[in-house]
Every structure is written in C-alpha cells, then in structure tokens.
Amino acid sequence: ICGADPTGVCPGNPYEVSATATNCSDGTETITLYLDGQQVAKEEVLSGETLVYTTTLTAPEDCPAGSKIDHTFRAVATNICNPTEGIEKTCTTSVTCLEEPCVEVAIQAPAEGCDGDLIEILASAKNCSEDVEDITLTIYDPSGGVLCEKTFEDVAAGATVELPCESILECEPGEKLLYSADAVAVNDCGTDKADRVEAAVTCQIPEIDVEKEGPVSVIGDEVYTYTITLKNPGPVDLDNVLVTDVICDYVRYEGNATPTPDSEPALGAVGGKVEWGSLTLGVGETLTFTFDVRADCDLFEGASIICTNVVNAEGYCGNSKAEDRDVWETQIDCPTGSCPRTVGFWGSQCAQKGNG
C-alpha cells in the first residue's frame, strides 16, 4: 500500500514518498521492495508483520506547474513454497508540481489635475503563475510614502486584483507628480516582487470661457432674449461652476430662463441678477443659458440709451480658480410718447402749426 500522495512540491524542492508491504501469509517470507524499478529494500518479514519504507526525492527544476510526478512501488514476496517467482503487488503515488509565484503590476492616474484636486489612483496586480497565491499591492505618494496598501489572499491563477486610492494634489502649475505602485506575491514556493511602476500627474491651471449675445438694438417695450455660452477649453474638468448675469437697469426681467436658474429677479423687476450655480463642466463641454427681458422706456422717452450687460463665470479644479467675463451692449431706442388727447391740447398745437 502506497502512502498518502504529497500535497504538492515546488521545482527543485524535496518531497517524501512511502509504501508498506504486509506479509499476509501464515509463514515467514522475503519481501523485496522496488521503487520505479530500482530495488530499495529487502527483508525477512514474519507472518502478519509489515515492511515500511520512506524516502526523500527532489522535484526537477523544470517541473511544469500542474504536472504530476508518478512513482510506482512494487513488492515481491517469496517463501519456501515459492522461492523463485513469488507473488507481487504494485501501487502508485503522485505528487503535483507547483509553480513559483509570479505577479505583474500596473497603475493608472489622471494625466492632469490642479492644486487641491482630489484624484483617484488605481493600481492592479495580476497573478501570472499557474497556482493560487497571496498578493500585497501597495501605492506610494510622490514623496515615496505609502498611500494605500492591501493584501489579497488566495488569488486564483490568472486573476487580477485592484486597489483604488484617493489623493489630494499639492502642486505648482507645470509640476509633475509621480505616483507609483508595486506588488509582492507569496505562495508555498516562495516570493515574487514586481518592479515598481509609475504614473505622472501634471499640475495644470484651469480655464473657462463665457460669451453673451443679444440684439444690437431694440425699441422700447420690445421683448428680446440674451444667450450665454459657457465653455471649458481644458485642460482639466471644472466643479462648482457659477454663472452670474447682471442685467442693466433699463430693462425689465421677463423670465423664460433655461435651464432653471438658482436665483432670478421677480417677473417685471427692473435690472437684477440671474445665477446658475453648482455646475460641473468637463473638458471640451459647452453649456448654454438663455433668458428674456423687455426694454423699458418709461423714464427715457425720446432717448436712445445703452443697456450694458455683464456676465461673470467661475469654476474650480481643486483650489485653482478659473474665471472669465463678457460684456454685451444693446441700444434701446425710446420713441416719443403720445400727446395728451384733449381738445384744448390739439387746438393749441394746430394754432402753432404755422410757426413750426
């Protein structure tokens, strides 16, 4: 009977195999034991007693992972009744070749950010061996200190584990910050450490562009629309974007704002501010805002006045602020008001017609 199969062996490492041969006859017999065709033991064994054999072997260095090393024990028993041929029994034992650990590591980070920006670093490690292993994945900040670390147990062959990690940038415009990661894999055959990999984050200055358009000229009591266009030319996304339009005091607010503003004047109010806030604006993204006003000539009869409108926009990337403003002027032509419609008034006017 062969002993229990070894659980597994690493290339070049030792392992044990064993077998027992029991005399099940009523008399003494000679038992000869062979391992893979080579004689390894020979003893006179009394009835009912057992020959026990154990030896240590070494796995080959090129033992492929998952392959098996088979060994055959053969026991031959002879006695006075059968001194030459005897009888024989065989058993086979196997050991599975394990593989040394293998790990590959990668890291991802945004290419750009701003001072004070909260960014996410993502490191990953792949088990590139054919056996289960434990993997410890570590992310380092630009100063070399440990930012995040985690051990993943029993990672299957070919599987990948990921470690997300957040970091607040502390940088000057144009500065490059290097984040890095490495990984260590451990199994029964030893340890493997992947070379450290890096990801660079360039510190940038955010930008924002705002433009306002409307009619160049209108007449009194005419309702018209202002359009505001907001753009992020890059190089980074913007948060906490605020758009504020300051309406001149020569028009009344008519509403119809799109999208719905966070604050706006009452309908019919003279002047005031329209605001849209808490917006996000990705690189290359454009937002459009509109609202209506009505030219008010109550106090400027017969005059032409200039309505100067100012729009301000701001947004943030971390602690870095982007801002822009634009001005649009609309000429309001106020017609002369109607004369009082009384008989005496018109008579007076007609009397003076001759002198111009």
Side-chain angles (χ1 to χ4, degrees):
I1 300 175
C2 287
D5 289 345
T7 56
V9 63
C10 302
N13 282 18
Y15 62 97
E16 287 187 350
V17 293
S18 62
T20 60
T22 302
N23 177 357
C24 49
S25 74
D26 292 331
T28 300
E29 58 190 25
T30 301
I31 298 179
T32 305
L33 193 62
Y34 299 86
L35 173 59
D36 297 332
Q38 299 293 320
Q39 180 178 321
V40 292
K42 185 176 182 180
E43 291 184 10
E44 296 291 324
V45 181
L46 299 178
S47 174
E49 296 199 2
T50 299
L51 168 64
V52 179
Y53 177 80
T54 301
T55 188
T56 299
L57 304 174
T58 301
E61 294 288 349
D62 59 351
C63 181
S67 65
K68 292 187 177 295
I69 304 172
D70 296 325
H71 299 288
T72 300
F73 282 101
R74 182 169 64 95
V76 179
T78 59
N79 63 11
I80 57 174
C81 298
N82 191 346
T84 54
E85 294 183 3
I87 60 171
E88 66 177 56
K89 295 290 178 68
T90 62
C91 68
T92 301
T93 185
S94 299
V95 60
T96 301
C97 288
L98 304 177
E99 186 177 14
E100 294 180 348
C102 174
V103 65
E104 298 172 349
V105 65
I107 186 172
Q108 298 176 17
E112 297 165 319
C114 308
D115 179 56
D117 199 8
L118 179 65
I119 64 170
E120 182 175 282
I121 314 297
L122 181 64
S124 61
K126 180 181 179 180
N127 177 356
C128 48
S129 76
E130 297 295 331
D131 284 313
V132 173
E133 61 190 25
D134 295 341
I135 296 177
T136 299
L137 191 53
T138 307
I139 298 176
Y140 303 90
D141 62 25
S143 68
V146 174
L147 189 62
C148 295
E149 186 173 74
K150 184 177 181 179
T151 297
F152 302 85
E153 296 182 348
D154 300 327
V155 180
T160 298
V161 294
E162 294 182 338
L163 176 60
C165 187
E166 292 184 338
S167 177
I168 297 178
L169 294 180
E170 296 180 5
C171 58
E172 297 293 332
E175 182 181 1
K176 281 192 175 183
L177 303 180
L178 292 179
Y179 289 84
S180 58
D182 62 22
V184 177
V186 178
N187 67 10
D188 292 337
C189 293
T191 300
D192 181 47
K193 184 173 183 178
D195 292 337
R196 188 175 294 193
V197 293
E198 295 180 336
V201 181
T202 302
C203 196
Q204 297 285 6
I205 300 176
E207 294 185 21
I208 194 170
D209 290 338
V210 66
E211 294 181 357
K212 182 171 182 177
E213 292 182 330
V216 175
S217 65
V218 295
I219 61 174
D221 288 330
E222 181 180 347
V223 176
Y224 61 97
T225 301
Y226 281 123
T227 300
I228 300 167
T229 303
L230 188 67
K231 298 179 181 179
N232 179 359
V236 289
D237 295 341
L238 295 173
D239 296 317
N240 298 319
V241 175
L242 174 65
V243 177
T244 303
D245 190 286
V246 181
I247 305 170
C248 79
D249 291 335
Y250 308 137
V251 296
R252 295 184 181 272
Y253 185 65
E254 290 292 314
N256 298 321
T258 58
T260 302
D262 292 326
S263 65
E264 59 186 326
L267 290 179
V270 175
K273 293 191 299 184
V274 187
E275 286 190 340
W276 295 267
S278 302
L279 305 171
T280 58
L281 196 61
V283 174
E285 189 176 354
T286 298
L287 298 177
T288 302
F289 311 86
T290 62
F291 64 89
D292 293 342
V293 296
R294 179 172 59 85
D296 183 17
C297 288
D298 290 350
L299 301 178
F300 304 98
E301 183 179 308
S304 291
I305 54 178
I306 301 298
C307 177
T308 302
N309 295 270
V310 179
V311 60
N312 296 287
E314 63 181 47
Y316 289 85
C317 171
N319 295 329
S320 300
K321 180 179 180 181
E323 55 187 340
D324 191 27
R325 72 193 298 268
D326 194 25
V327 177
W328 183 268
E329 293 184 344
T330 299
Q331 179 176 308
I332 302 174
D333 295 321
C334 297
T336 301
S338 300
C339 296
R341 297 178 180 181
T342 65
V343 175
F345 178 85
W346 288 116
S348 174
Q349 297 298 306
C350 292
Q352 298 183 50
K353 182 178 180 181
N355 62 21

